[in-house]
Amino acid sequence: MDIGLKEIEYIANLSRIALTDEEKKTFKKQLANILDYIKKLNELDTDTVEPMAYATDLKNVFRKEELTPSLSRQKILNLSPSNVNGFFKVPKVIE
Amino acid sequence: MKYEVVMGLETHAELNTVSKLFCGCSTKFGSEPNTQACPICLGLPGVLPVMNERAFEHSLKAAIALNCEIGRFASFDRKNYYYPDLPKNYQISQSYFNIGNNGYVDIVVKGKKKRIDIHNVHLEEEAGKLIHPEKSDDDYSLVDFNRAGVPLLEIVTEPDMRSIEEVESYMQILRNILLYIGVSDCKMQEGSLRFEASISLCEKGAKVYGNRVEIKNLNSMKAVLKVLAYEISRQGDLLDKGKEVLMETRLWDEVNAVSRRMRTKEEAHDYRYFPEPDLVPVWIDQKWIDETKKTIPELPVNKRQRFVKEYLISDYDAGVLTEDIFLADYFEACVKLARNSSKELSNWIINDVLRELNERKINIQEFTVTPKMLVELIKEKSTVGNAIAKEVFIEMVNTGKNAQSIINEKNLAQLSDVDELNTITANVIEKNPKAVEDYKRGKKNALAFLIGQTMKMTKGKANPKILTEILKEKITTGPK
Amino acid sequence: MLLHELTASKVRERITKREVTAQEVVEELLEWINLKEPLIKTYLCLDEDGALSKAKEIDEKLSNGNKVGLLAGVPIAIKDNMCTAGVKTTCASKILENFIPPYDAFVVKRIKDEDAIIIGKTNLDEFAMGSSTENSAFQITRNPWDIDCIPGGSSGGSAAAVSADMAFMALGSDTGGSVRQPASFCGDVGLKPTYGRVSRYGLIAFASSLDQIGPITKDVLDTALLLQVISGHDNFDSTCAALDVPNYISDIDRLDDVLKIGVPREFFGEGLNTEIKSALMDALKIYEANGAKLVDLSLPHCEYAVATYYIIATAEASSNLARYDGVRYGHRSRLSSDSNIVDMYSQTRAEGFGNEVKRRILLGNYALSTGYYEAYYLKASKVRNLIKNDFEDAFKKVDCIICPTCPTPAFKIGERVTEPLEMYLSDIYTIPANLAGIPGISIPCGFTSAGLPIGMQILGKYFDERKLLKMAKLFENETDFHLKRPKLNQQV
C-alpha cells in the first residue's frame, strides 16, 4: 500500500501536527507498512454484515434536565496557558 | 430577471432548556464570561457526555411538528474540526441517523401556498463564543465557553426556495412553529436563532444548478434577506459577464453591506464524521411519537386559516393574531366570553392591545388586562361611547382595575338623560345663533359644530345619538 | 513477612484488626518504594503527604470505632491516565505534563470512599498507546523479573509496582490488552471487565469504545475485592451498565457445575512461544483434573482482530486527542503563540506528543478522511461485528475460553521500538476481547526457562466476571505461581 507525501501532509494538517521533512518520510513508510497489514481485512466479504458501532447494547440513556454547579472561573482559568479578563486568550483568529 | 435563483436555508435554534446538552451547567444568556462551564463542557481530559432528556424531547417534538419521518432510532456522531470555541475540537452532532428526515413546512407567499421540503432535523451541541478585540492591531482573540454545550437544533431545507419572499415567509413560519411548540425562545438578538443560507443561480429552465455559495452566521432575518438580495445581483453580474461563480463560503459584512469570502482555510470540509462512542442510540417507538404529537398545538398556518373561516376576520388580521400563540389564545378566550363580536375584538387586540404591549415592551402573558376585562369593557362601550372606552382601556392597563370601577370612579358614564341634555342644548343653541341659521339654510357642517360644542360642555360624556336627535328637533321646531 | 509483601486483603485485615496502623503500612511501603524506585521507575508521581494524612485519618476512624471501607488503609497505585483531583495527571505525555485535574475519576472516588490510600500515579505508554511502556515521555519502567526487559504496557507502571511489592494493588486500563498483557509479563493478576462494567468517567480516553479500567493485583482475591469496589453504575457515563453488581468475593472458592472450557485453535498456532504453549497445556490439565471438559473451538475472525483494532482504536483516538490544542489547559508552544492559531495548534501538538501518539493520530485521521471512511472505518466496524459473533457463538457451547495472554514473554527494552507493526502484533491474543467487549483475566501459570512469568488468559461471557474469578481462583488454589516473587524483591 503506497501513501504519498501529499497525503501525509494532508493528514498532518487535518491532525494539526507539524512534521519535519524527516518525520514525513518516516511516517510515510511506517503508515504504508501498517496499511499493508490492514489490507488483510479485504479478504473478508462484509457486504451483508452490519457495522458494530457500539460496544454495549444500552439505549436511551439520559440525564434529567436539572442545573448543577459550574466550576469556579478561577479554577477554570488556572488550567489555561493564557487568559485575560476572564477569557481564554488565543492567537488571533481570522474569519 | 433571466436567472432562476435556487436557495436553501440551515437554521440553528438554541433549545430552551435550563441546563446544557451534556452537563448541568446553566444556559442563561449574558452572564460573565466563563462562569457557566465545568469539566464536561470544557472538554477536560476524561469527561463524558450524558444527554439531557428534555433537549432530546424538544428535538423530537420539533421534528414531528416539521412533518419529518422519524426513524426507529436516532444516534449521534462526531464532526471533527479545529476551532478555538469548540472545546473538544469535535462537535457532537448527527450525521447518519438524524432525529428527523424528509419533512416539510408549508409557506404562503402572495396568498399562494408552497411546500418547502426539510432535508433533516438534528440535535447538536453549541460552540462557545469567540471575541475579537476592537483594535485591529491586537494580535489575539478571546474565548468564552458559557455557551459551549447549549443544545442546538439544526433544521436543513432542500434547495426549494426560488424568491426572497419565499425565504422570508419560510423564516417567519418556521420561527412561529418553534415558538408555538415551545422548544426555543428564538431570540435573534441573543443569537438563539441563526441562519446559514446557500444560493446558486442558473439559466431559467436549466437542468443543472449553478455553483453554490454558502453564507454563514446570519444573525437576523433582515441580514438573510439583505445578503441574498446582494448575492442575486453579485452572481447575476458575474454570469452576465460570462464569468464563473466560485463555490465558496462567504460572510455578510453588515457595516459595508457586502458579502465577502471567508479567509480561513477549510480543508474542503473533511469533517471525518463517525459514530460518537461515548453516547448510546436513542430508540423511538410509536408510543413515544404519539405521546409527543399530543403535546403539539395547532400550528400557525392552520390556526390562521381556521380564524378566517371561524371568526370571519381578514387573512391579514388572522396572520397578526396567530403570530404569537399566546396572543391567539388571548383572542380566542375573548371570543368565547363575548360570543359574537369577533371582528371588533380582533380590532381591539390588533390596534390597542398590541400598541400597549409594544410601548411597554412586554408580552401578552404579562399583560394586566385579561380577556374577561377586555370583553367587559367592550360591553360598556355601548353606554360610554368609543372615545371614553379607549380612555378607560388605557386606565385599565395602567391600574389593572376593571372597566366598571374605572367608569364609576371617574364618573365617565354617558349622559343620556333627556332632560339634562335638553337644558344643555338649549344653552348651546342660544349661544350660537349663527350656526343654527347656517344649519337651517342647509349647511350640514353646522350641526357637527353644535354637537362639538355640546360635547365640550359635557366633557365628552353626552350620548351622541340622543344628543343629535335633540339638537335636530330643537332647531327645526324652533324655540318654544 | 514484611508489610509491603502482603496482599491487599491481608494488609487490610491487619489494619482493621489493629495489629498494625495504616500509617505504619504507608511508611514502610514508602521506604521500600524509595529503595526500589530508582531501579524500576514505576511511579510518575508519589503522593507521600497525601498518603500519610489519609493513613492517619483512617487510623483515627479505627481508633474511634467508626466503620471503615472495603479497602481501609490499603495503599493503591493508579495508572496516570485516571484523573485525581489536585494531583497531577499526565498520561505520560508532555502535553499534560503539568495538568492538575479539578475532579476525581469515578473509580478514584469509589476507592477513596472505601478508604483506600492513593500512594501515587504510575507510568504508562503515552495516552496508553503501546505495549511496553517505552512510549512514556518521562521514563522507562523495567520489569522486576528482569530489568533488561519491558514490563509490558500500557499499564506497565502499575504492573511493575504490584510485582515489585511497591503497591498492594493497582488500577490499570485496558484498550487492547493493557491490563492483561503487563500483568502477564510481571506475574500479576490482571482483569479487564466487560465493557460497561466500570465507569470510564475520568479515565483519559484513548479509544472510547474499547477502554475499560481494571485491577492489577497480587492474587485473585484482591482482584475480586478491587473489582467489587469499582464496578457499578455511574450517571456520568452513558455507556456504563445499570446492572446490579454481584458479590465477587463470597463463594469465590466454589464452582458448582461441570465447566466446559473452550480452547480456541487459532490461539495456539504459529507464533506462540513453545514454553508458553506447554505451560498452558499443563494448566488445562489441572482444570481437567478438577472436572472441567475441554472443547476444541474455532474463532475464525480473530486473526483479523489486530487489523480491525488499529483502525477503530486510532480513529477514535484521533478524535479523542484533538482536544489537546493549547487553548484551555496543558502545554502550549511558545514558538508560535503570537502568530496564527493553526500554527499554534500544530506546533503545540508537535512538541507535546511523542511519535507513537502522532503515528496513531495520523493513521486514525487517514482512516476517517473523505474517501477512506468506507474502506477503513466502516469495514473495520463490520469485521468487529464478525469477531463479536465468533465469541457469541462460542459461548453458546462453552462457559469460558482459555488461551495464552501473550504469544511471547516480556521482551527486551528497545527490541521492538523501531517496528511499530511488530509491537502491535504482541497484543494479538488480548485485542479480540476488547473488540467484542467481553471480560478477560490474566493469571500467572508458569515461568520460562529464563525465569520470566507466563500468563494464562480466561475469557468469559458478558458481565460474567464472577465465573472468571472463580476459575482463576481454582487454578490459584492448585498452584503456587502467584506466590513467587521477583528476586529483586528480596534484595533489601
Side-chain angles (χ1 to χ4, degrees):
Chain A
M1 177 92 199
D2 211 28
I3 175 163
L5 202 62
K6 273 251 159 65
E7 268 185 301
I8 286 287
E9 284 169 352
Y10 175 76
I11 305 161
N13 181 44
L14 275 185
S15 309
R16 295 287 190 269
I17 298 174
L19 296 180
T20 63
D21 288 345
E22 202 51 47
E23 286 172 322
K24 282 178 201 165
K25 267 193 233 157
T26 314
F27 284 131
K28 177 171 156 350
K29 194 168 147 265
Q30 289 171 335
L31 291 192
N33 243 342
I34 298 164
L35 289 171
D36 230 11
Y37 176 75
I38 286 170
K39 243 183 14 198
K40 199 177 159 62
L41 296 182
N42 296 332
E43 295 167 9
L44 295 170
D45 179 2
T46 52
D47 286 354
T48 58
V49 181
E50 280 292 307
M52 174 177 166
Y54 301 96
T56 79
D57 294 332
L58 291 172
K59 55 185 186 182
N60 299 38
V61 175
F62 295 111
R63 49 171 276 268
K64 285 267 163 273
E65 149 86 322
E66 58 190 11
L67 285 178
T68 53
S70 294
L71 214 53
S72 85
R73 179 158 79 179
Q74 203 46 52
K75 264 192 173 171
I76 289 171
L77 294 175
N78 280 347
L79 299 169
S80 75
S82 178
N83 64 77
V84 63
N85 300 333
F87 291 95
F88 291 87
K89 191 174 164 186
V90 295
K92 190 166 189 165
V93 180
I94 305 157
E95 282 180 333
Chain B
M1 178 86 194
K2 58 184 192 187
Y3 301 109
E4 186 165 20
V5 187
V6 177
M7 290 172 289
L9 221 54
E10 287 179 17
T11 306
H12 285 102
E14 284 182 0
L15 297 174
N16 57 1
T17 55
V18 298
S19 68
K20 291 186 179 180
L21 184 52
F22 299 122
C23 66
C25 284
S26 169
T27 57
K28 210 176 110 211
F29 177 80
S31 302
E32 285 290 299
N34 295 308
T35 53
Q36 287 163 198
C38 73
I40 295 169
C41 57
L42 284 169
L44 254 50
V47 299
L48 298 169
V50 183
M51 175 87 51
N52 180 332
E53 188 165 26
R54 183 157 312 153
F56 191 88
E57 287 167 351
H58 275 0
S59 310
L60 182 61
K61 195 170 170 182
I64 293 172
L66 298 171
N67 308 295
C68 285
E69 292 165 9
I70 310 296
R72 280 188 305 144
F73 69 90
S75 63
F76 295 83
D77 304 292
R78 291 188 186 175
K79 180 181 182 179
N80 294 285
Y81 67 95
Y82 280 84
Y83 213 67
D85 64 6
L86 192 63
K88 302 181 291 295
N89 287 317
Y90 60 80
Q91 179 190 33
I92 301 177
S93 179
Q94 296 189 277
S95 170
Y96 299 113
F97 299 97
N98 297 307
I99 290 183
N101 290 304
N102 306 323
Y104 62 85
V105 171
D106 286 331
I107 62 167
V108 183
V109 173
K110 289 174 193 147
K112 273 211 281 188
K113 205 161 125 176
K114 175 168 175 173
R115 183 157 288 186
I116 305 298
D117 284 338
I118 303 285
H119 183 271
N120 76 72
V121 172
H122 66 262
L123 174 61
E124 60 188 24
E125 57 180 334
E126 176 76 284
K129 209 170 167 169
L130 201 57
I131 292 142
H132 306 291
E134 281 161 29
K135 280 182 283 174
S136 58
D137 54 341
D138 281 337
D139 57 354
Y140 60 87
S141 297
L142 301 170
V143 201
D144 170 13
F145 289 104
N146 282 351
R147 209 180 64 175
V150 167
L152 196 61
L153 192 69
E154 183 168 339
I155 301 147
V156 184
T157 72
E158 296 289 352
D160 278 358
M161 286 163 274
R162 294 289 178 274
S163 71
I164 301 251
E165 290 76 21
E166 288 180 13
V167 174
E168 184 173 21
S169 171
Y170 168 76
M171 288 191 295
Q172 275 166 356
I173 286 172
L174 178 66
R175 179 172 176 272
N176 281 350
I177 291 172
L178 296 177
L179 286 170
Y180 260 56
I181 61 176
V183 301
S184 172
D185 58 20
C186 294
K187 286 183 183 159
M188 271 172 284
Q189 66 281 11
E190 293 180 5
S192 71
L193 186 69
R194 308 191 298 272
F195 302 94
E196 289 180 18
S198 70
I199 171 169
S200 68
L201 264 58
C202 60
E203 298 279 346
K204 279 218 166 104
K207 290 226 168 66
V208 187
Y209 292 157
N211 275 344
R212 206 165 67 132
V213 170
E214 285 180 35
I215 308 121
K216 291 209 168 208
N217 288 333
L218 299 163
N219 291 319
S220 70
M221 292 190 192
K222 260 190 198 138
V224 174
L225 302 177
K226 277 196 233 166
V227 80
L228 289 175
Y230 178 85
E231 279 296 309
I232 289 171
S233 95
R234 185 185 72 88
Q235 294 184 25
D237 285 351
L238 284 171
L239 294 175
D240 283 346
K241 289 175 193 151
K243 288 183 183 163
E244 194 193 5
V245 174
L246 291 176
M247 194 136 93
E248 60 188 4
T249 303
R250 299 177 76 88
L251 289 173
W252 176 238
D253 178 346
E254 184 77 55
V255 180
N256 300 307
V258 291
S259 73
R260 58 174 173 79
R261 261 186 111 159
M262 267 183 91
R263 274 184 286 177
T264 33
K265 266 190 262 163
E266 295 176 70
E267 34 302 288
H269 300 294
D270 198 340
Y271 289 132
R272 292 151 285 149
Y273 280 104
F274 74 100
E276 165 58 277
D278 289 331
L279 291 170
V280 296
V282 180
W283 286 73
I284 304 160
D285 56 17
Q286 195 54 44
K287 195 176 147 227
W288 194 359
I289 295 174
D290 292 343
E291 271 165 17
T292 307
K293 267 186 189 155
K294 281 185 213 150
T295 67
I296 297 174
E298 181 186 27
L299 294 180
V301 170
N302 304 340
K303 203 183 273 285
R304 180 174 180 166
Q305 285 169 347
R306 180 169 64 81
F307 276 17
V308 171
K309 237 173 96 186
E310 206 171 313
Y311 303 125
L312 307 169
I313 56 176
S314 73
D315 179 61
Y316 175 82
D317 287 355
V320 175
L321 290 173
T322 55
E323 199 152 299
D324 174 354
I325 191 169
F326 296 106
L327 191 69
D329 286 349
Y330 187 91
F331 168 71
E332 287 208 279
C334 291
V335 172
K336 221 175 245 171
L337 289 166
R339 296 258 161 74
N340 49 23
S341 45
S342 53
K343 174 70 195 151
E344 187 173 18
L345 280 163
S346 152
N347 286 341
W348 269 89
I349 291 170
I350 290 171
N351 296 322
D352 301 277
V353 174
L354 283 183
R355 182 193 64 234
E356 294 304 316
L357 293 180
N358 284 338
E359 267 176 23
R360 289 168 164 75
K361 292 190 171 64
I362 55 171
N363 55 43
I364 187 75
Q365 299 101 291
E366 301 163 288
F367 196 47
T368 46
V369 180
T370 62
K372 185 164 170 269
M373 287 161 73
L374 184 68
V375 169
E376 281 170 5
L377 170 66
I378 290 169
K379 276 183 193 149
E380 290 295 336
K381 210 188 74 179
S382 57
T383 56
V384 299
N386 201 42
I388 301 277
K390 302 259 163 175
E391 221 173 279
V392 172
F393 174 69
I394 306 273
E395 197 61 22
M396 285 164 72
V397 180
N398 288 334
T399 62
K401 289 179 184 163
N402 63 30
Q404 193 58 57
S405 55
I406 292 170
I407 289 166
N408 288 342
E409 270 171 34
K410 300 215 160 185
N411 194 22
L412 292 172
Q414 231 169 24
L415 187 53
S416 307
D417 186 280
V418 180
D419 288 344
E420 201 170 331
L421 283 174
N422 268 331
T423 320
I424 297 168
T425 45
N427 197 358
V428 169
I429 287 171
E430 199 183 303
K431 279 184 179 164
N432 297 286
K434 186 165 181 310
V436 174
E437 278 312 303
D438 285 350
Y439 180 69
K440 278 183 177 164
R441 274 193 233 116
K443 259 193 167 178
K444 299 275 183 235
N445 280 350
L447 183 65
F449 173 77
L450 292 170
I451 291 169
Q453 290 301 306
T454 317
M455 280 294 183
K456 221 179 193 175
M457 294 189 68
T458 60
K459 290 179 181 142
K461 286 194 289 182
N463 182 318
K465 212 172 154 201
I466 301 173
L467 167 67
T468 310
E469 274 166 23
I470 291 176
L471 270 174
K472 274 186 186 165
E473 198 195 293
K474 275 214 164 84
I475 293 169
T476 39
T477 54
K480 286 177 185 156
Chain C
M1 231 181 182
L2 296 167
L3 282 175
H4 65 265
E5 293 172 343
L6 298 170
T7 64
S9 309
K10 291 241 173 69
V11 85
R12 183 205 183 260
E13 194 186 319
R14 292 191 60 181
I15 292 168
T16 50
K17 283 187 175 162
R18 312 208 53 206
E19 294 166 13
V20 62
T21 65
Q23 190 181 344
E24 281 164 343
V25 170
V26 170
E27 279 168 353
E28 203 255 32
L29 179 67
L30 284 171
E31 205 175 305
W32 176 252
I33 290 171
N34 287 325
L35 191 69
K36 294 297 170 186
E37 180 61 18
L39 188 62
I40 309 191
K41 296 193 177 299
T42 59
Y43 285 99
L44 289 176
C45 163
L46 269 179
D47 186 14
E48 302 196 25
D49 295 342
L52 282 167
S53 78
K54 180 83 189 185
K56 282 177 197 156
E57 198 183 294
I58 289 151
D59 287 334
E60 217 161 280
K61 263 193 192 177
L62 283 165
S63 63
N64 292 337
N66 293 341
K67 212 173 161 271
V68 288
L70 280 173
L71 298 174
V74 178
I76 295 189
I78 313 272
K79 187 180 184 179
D80 204 22
N81 61 349
M82 295 171 223
C83 287
T84 41
V87 175
K88 251 196 333 189
T89 302
T90 68
C91 264
S93 180
K94 277 189 197 154
I95 213 151
L96 287 176
E97 190 164 4
N98 297 307
F99 177 67
I100 300 174
Y103 76 103
D104 271 332
F106 175 84
V107 290
V108 170
K109 196 174 170 302
R110 275 279 174 98
I111 62 169
K112 281 183 177 173
D113 289 348
E114 294 297 338
D115 292 322
I117 296 170
I118 294 171
I119 196 87
K121 308 292 293 284
T122 54
N123 197 22
L124 64 150
D125 286 298
E126 184 179 2
F127 282 99
M129 296 180 184
S131 311
S132 68
T133 313
E134 289 165 294
N135 295 330
S136 166
F138 305 120
Q139 62 197 35
I140 289 181
T141 299
R142 288 164 189 275
N143 190 318
W145 294 89
D146 178 349
I147 57 165
D148 291 330
C149 286
I150 53 96
S154 65
S155 311
S158 284
V162 169
S163 163
D165 292 332
M166 294 161 71
F168 289 89
M169 52 185 9
L171 283 176
S173 67
D174 190 316
T175 307
S178 283
V179 160
R180 290 161 287 156
Q181 185 254 30
S184 139
F185 284 1
C186 292
D188 303 323
V189 176
L191 174 92
K192 181 202 94 74
T194 309
Y195 186 86
R197 174 80 289 178
V198 177
S199 166
R200 293 181 294 117
Y201 190 75
L203 168 68
I204 299 181
F206 158 17
S208 312
S209 77
L210 300 160
D211 294 342
Q212 192 64 193
I213 293 167
I216 297 176
T217 65
K218 295 178 184 181
D219 67 9
V220 175
L221 194 62
D222 279 1
T223 286
L225 176 63
L226 190 47
L227 183 66
Q228 195 76 56
V229 170
I230 61 174
S231 293
H233 184 60
D234 174 16
N235 287 329
F236 285 88
D237 179 357
S238 308
T239 64
C240 185
L243 295 170
D244 287 340
V245 180
N247 190 324
Y248 294 120
I249 300 157
S250 68
D251 291 344
I252 193 165
D253 285 309
R254 218 175 66 207
L255 261 175
D256 297 326
D257 313 321
V258 176
L259 285 174
K260 278 188 238 161
I261 299 173
V263 183
R265 263 166 261 159
E266 291 84 358
F267 288 62
F268 288 86
E270 213 183 314
L272 178 61
N273 171 297
T274 52
E275 287 183 307
I276 296 179
K277 188 170 179 177
S278 78
L280 259 292
M281 291 307 163
D282 291 347
L284 288 171
K285 277 179 203 141
I286 291 177
Y287 282 110
E288 266 188 312
N290 277 275
K293 284 213 163 65
L294 303 186
V295 179
D296 174 51
L297 199 69
S298 173
L299 298 166
H301 297 99
C302 281
E303 66 164 300
Y304 301 96
V306 175
T308 303
Y309 174 84
Y310 275 93
I311 293 171
I312 288 167
T314 59
E316 292 180 8
S318 70
S319 174
N320 283 332
L321 271 64
R323 70 189 62 190
Y324 307 104
D325 60 2
V327 173
R328 286 144 293 121
Y329 48 79
H331 174 74
R332 177 189 290 192
S333 170
R334 292 210 180 107
L335 274 181
S336 54
S337 50
D338 291 334
S339 56
N340 73 63
I341 187 95
V342 177
D343 287 349
M344 189 279 273
Y345 288 154
S346 301
Q347 276 304 328
T348 294
R349 293 163 63 79
E351 292 166 14
F353 292 138
N355 280 337
E356 183 59 30
V357 172
K358 286 178 187 169
R359 193 152 41 233
R360 295 197 193 193
I361 292 174
L362 293 171
L363 181 59
N365 274 319
Y366 181 82
L368 289 174
S369 63
T370 306
Y372 294 109
Y373 179 83
E374 275 82 15
Y376 290 104
Y377 182 83
L378 198 63
K379 179 85 187 182
S381 300
K382 289 176 167 188
V383 178
R384 184 176 185 183
N385 217 356
L386 294 174
I387 292 167
K388 182 187 175 208
N389 290 340
D390 277 2
F391 282 105
E392 281 177 349
D393 289 345
F395 285 126
K396 282 175 198 153
K397 291 177 252 168
V398 299
D399 300 293
C400 65
I401 291 170
I402 288 185
C403 60
T405 310
C406 306
T408 68
F411 43 89
K412 291 270 189 287
I413 290 169
E415 194 182 293
R416 297 186 189 176
V417 280
T418 51
E419 286 303 327
L421 188 57
E422 207 183 314
M423 185 78 93
Y424 295 174
L425 288 169
S426 64
D427 295 330
I428 195 157
Y429 299 150
T430 46
I431 281 175
N434 298 84
L435 290 171
I438 56 170
I441 191 170
S442 175
I443 55 172
C445 74
F447 291 87
T448 65
S449 49
L452 289 169
I454 294 171
M456 166 171 73
Q457 185 176 216
I458 314 171
L459 302 173
K461 299 175 185 177
Y462 292 102
F463 297 101
D464 202 7
E465 284 81 3
R466 208 163 120 95
K467 189 166 285 142
L468 293 192
L469 290 164
K470 284 172 177 244
M471 287 288 292
K473 189 64 169 40
L474 182 147
F475 186 78
E476 207 176 74
N477 290 345
E478 300 280 324
T479 58
D480 61 359
F481 301 116
H482 65 290
L483 297 175
K484 292 223 169 80
R485 310 309 294 166
K487 278 201 192 81
L488 174 144
N489 289 19
Q490 293 143 28
Q491 300 160 1
V492 182

